[in-house]
Amino acid sequence: MSLPDVQSTAPDVRISLTRVGVKNVKKLVEVGRPGKTRPAIFISDFDVFVDLPSSLKGANLSRNFEVIDEVLQQATSGDVRGIEDVCGIVSRKLLDHHEYADRTEVFMRSFYMINRDTPVSKTSCQEVVNVYAHAIAQRTEGEPIVRKSVGAEVTGITACPCAQNIMKDHAMHVMQELEIPEDKIDAFFKEVPMASHNQRGRGFLCVETDDDIVVPLEQIVNVLKESMSAKIYELLKRGDESYVVMAAHKNARFVEDCVREMARQVVNTFTYLPGDTHITIRQTNEESIHQHDAYAERKATLAELREELNV
């Protein structure tokens, strides 16, 4: 005897629901890479939702797991171009499996390991990057409309320009009292940056595009790394440590500077993207001499950023 399909019965309270689904579905995602023998590996959590009409008591959630596993198998074989494609394909297939749904939404949060060499000793080390993907599929009379996004959060170091100027002013007065010639003082400051307080900065960049566009995750990570005072590394030899500290203090930046530099890098890097691409940029600096964090953010289309930067 077949069991009754309780989900298909009418609910006691007849209102539609915006999101019904599952959260924190843990999966190992392997995405094939062109020209590479090994796939990129992501340790991931998925949130998968569909909308639900007022006529149905519940959604068939097991279908969500079936679609995810089907798409992950495609990704391993190289048929998927990136993690945002994973979300895009899942969201599209969910419409096929949930015939009552008009809208589906998929979130993916992952850890991604990057191998890097330190700047001086060239010591190999690994770095964990938090990456994100998201897709929304909307049913239409024809093909569904799919919008997808891919993003990353990268950690770096920033040095405060304000504190650095205070320290420079103090050092200049000390040198003048020691009767050091002005040309020697100027030469010193050109070679040796002044001390400042530092922050561990967390830069975030997300790019939202149409379904047929691919944004390489590596480009997003590179934009973030180049937008803070200096890159950081999990392992540093003495020469590497000196290099990182000097680089950060020669390139002191406020949290606002980081976001503006990200915007400039985005415009220069993503020249191939259309103007209606949505860009989200934010920077959080964990202050070392305060208990609070500094924060800055910008949301805009690529066309708006290009216009402001006269590009």
Side-chain angles (χ1 to χ4, degrees):
M1 184 177 65
S2 61
L3 296 174
D5 185 1
V6 180
Q7 287 97 335
S8 297
T9 62
D12 296 332
V13 181
R14 292 203 169 197
I15 63 168
S16 61
L17 301 178
T18 306
R19 285 178 178 169
V20 175
V22 293
K23 297 185 69 174
N24 298 319
V25 179
K26 298 188 181 299
K27 292 290 182 179
L28 182 67
V29 180
E30 299 179 61
V31 178
R33 296 180 292 177
K36 302 285 186 179
T37 57
R38 294 182 179 179
I41 297 176
F42 303 85
I43 302 170
S44 307
D45 285 345
F46 284 89
D47 298 342
V48 182
F49 306 109
V50 300
D51 65 340
L52 190 69
S54 61
S55 59
L56 295 181
K57 188 176 185 66
N60 191 328
L61 300 184
S62 64
R63 298 176 185 176
N64 297 353
F65 295 92
E66 294 169 358
V67 170
I68 292 174
D69 288 337
E70 179 184 344
V71 175
L72 293 186
Q73 185 59 45
Q74 286 182 253
T76 303
S77 63
D79 296 335
V80 175
R81 298 173 293 177
I83 59 172
E84 71 273 31
D85 260 11
V86 172
C87 292
I89 295 172
V90 169
S91 66
R92 187 186 294 270
K93 285 181 177 291
L94 285 172
L95 288 176
D96 297 332
H97 286 68
H98 296 274
E99 64 283 352
Y100 47 81
D102 289 325
R103 184 180 185 274
T104 64
E105 192 167 6
V106 181
F107 295 88
M108 176 181 173
R109 301 173 301 277
S110 307
F111 294 119
Y112 180 45
M113 300 296 294
I114 297 177
N115 292 312
R116 302 175 60 206
D117 291 337
T118 57
V120 177
S121 68
K122 303 303 178 184
T123 303
S124 179
C125 60
Q126 290 185 326
E127 177 182 355
V128 178
V129 175
N130 295 320
V131 297
Y132 306 88
H134 175 223
I136 297 174
Q138 183 70 47
R139 194 186 299 279
T140 67
E141 293 182 359
E143 284 293 310
I145 298 173
V146 179
R147 289 284 290 183
K148 62 186 184 182
S149 58
V150 60
E153 182 181 78
V154 169
T155 305
I157 183 175
T158 58
C160 176
C162 182
Q164 190 174 59
N165 281 338
I166 294 171
M167 297 302 294
K168 181 177 180 179
D169 184 70
H170 174 71
M172 185 174 296
H173 282 89
V174 171
M175 290 180 179
Q176 289 171 345
E177 289 178 0
L178 293 172
E179 299 182 349
I180 297 175
E182 290 293 329
D183 61 330
K184 297 289 186 182
I185 295 176
D186 292 340
F188 175 81
F189 284 135
K190 285 181 181 179
E191 295 296 326
V192 182
M194 285 293 94
S196 181
H197 70 91
N198 303 128
Q199 305 90 14
R200 177 180 290 179
R202 299 195 313 273
F204 175 85
L205 167 61
C206 183
V207 180
E208 179 188 323
T209 64
D210 289 328
D211 191 32
D212 59 343
I213 298 174
V214 177
V215 179
L217 185 59
E218 292 78 8
Q219 290 185 340
I220 291 176
V221 172
N222 287 338
V223 165
L224 292 168
K225 286 184 177 295
E226 296 296 333
S227 299
M228 288 177 256
S229 293
K231 304 173 188 176
I232 62 173
Y233 303 82
E234 188 64 20
L235 174 64
L236 292 173
K237 301 294 186 180
R238 289 185 179 181
D240 300 313
E241 188 170 348
S242 172
Y243 178 93
V244 170
V245 172
M246 291 288 284
H249 287 80
K250 285 183 175 180
N251 190 30
R253 282 178 175 165
F254 289 125
V255 67
E256 299 93 336
D257 294 323
C258 296
V259 170
R260 288 175 171 136
E261 179 60 21
M262 282 184 220
R264 189 182 71 84
Q265 295 266 353
V266 162
V267 168
N268 291 340
T269 300
F270 300 114
T271 55
Y272 55 89
L273 292 180
D276 65 350
T277 300
H278 284 267
I279 305 295
T280 300
I281 304 166
R282 58 177 180 256
Q283 176 80 15
T284 304
N285 285 352
E286 300 175 359
E287 296 281 10
S288 59
I289 64 171
H290 307 292
Q291 291 188 356
H292 59 261
D293 297 337
Y295 182 83
E297 178 183 287
R298 177 62 195 271
K299 292 183 178 181
T301 65
L302 196 51
E304 290 169 340
L305 293 179
R306 286 168 177 162
E307 182 178 1
E308 281 193 60
L309 294 170
N310 297 317
V311 175

